[in-house]
Amino acid sequence: MTILRSFEIASNKVEILENGNVKITIPMSFRNCAGRKRIVTQELNSNFNEPIITNLARAFRWQALIDSGKFSNVHELARAIGKDDGYVSRIIRLTLLSHEIIHAIIAGTLEKDIGIEQLKQAMPLMWDDQKKMFGME
């Protein structure tokens, strides 16, 4: 195997081989997290918070079920999934977060001290006010 060209993008190594194939080397490791194996790369921010992402995904799924008419309201949905009405309402409230806050959650750049309990609390409807509340401005 002869390497014709080699270069690095971030910490990933890209090599173009003599036969025209491209070989990409990505430094990563496998870790157990909450009973699941996860791929961890150097670019992955250590602030990544799986419970927040799980609840955010639930919020959008549950809201979509209500919006599609499968369930007429939170009470009906909560009964169908075997959860408390208040819990479902607090989780669905996550769909009202600003897109910048949602992006920070997914990207793992949300401040470490901001947890799911803070995000489930009542917060301003205006996105600028939300960003101020979480120190993102």
Side-chain angles (χ1 to χ4, degrees):
M1 167 173 78
T2 306
I3 299 171
L4 293 178
R5 247 184 359 199
S6 178
F7 52 95
E8 289 195 30
I9 300 174
S11 60
N12 303 331
K13 186 175 179 185
V14 179
E15 299 171 335
I16 300 175
L17 305 176
E18 184 178 82
N19 63 4
N21 289 342
V22 177
K23 178 182 173 185
I24 302 173
T25 306
I26 302 170
M28 65 179 168
S29 62
F30 294 91
R31 301 242 170 97
N32 283 326
C33 181
R36 297 180 181 171
K37 287 202 186 287
R38 287 189 44 205
I39 295 175
V40 180
T41 64
Q42 292 174 350
E43 288 83 27
L44 184 63
N45 191 325
S46 62
N47 293 341
F48 184 83
N49 194 330
E50 193 169 320
I52 292 178
I53 292 185
T54 301
N55 282 296
L56 190 62
R58 268 188 201 129
F60 280 97
R61 176 160 171 25
W62 292 348
Q63 186 62 55
L65 290 171
I66 292 171
D67 292 344
S68 70
K70 185 161 183 159
F71 298 99
S72 59
N73 55 40
V74 170
H75 177 71
E76 193 178 299
L77 171 65
R79 194 168 2 122
I81 61 175
K83 303 283 184 189
D84 178 67
D85 294 5
Y87 171 75
V88 173
S89 295
R90 286 188 302 277
I91 297 298
I92 286 179
R93 191 181 298 145
L94 295 175
T95 62
L96 302 176
L97 290 170
S98 80
H99 61 278
E100 287 100 343
I101 295 172
I102 291 172
H103 183 270
I105 292 169
I106 294 169
T109 58
L110 192 66
E111 292 294 325
K112 285 184 199 181
D113 59 339
I114 299 173
I116 188 64
E117 292 306 316
Q118 285 177 286
L119 293 170
K120 289 192 302 186
Q121 300 303 315
M123 66 181 62
L125 291 177
M126 300 301 293
W127 286 356
D128 289 335
D129 295 337
Q130 290 177 12
K131 290 189 294 185
K132 285 178 192 170
M133 183 175 169
F134 293 114
M136 295 180 68
E137 272 197 342

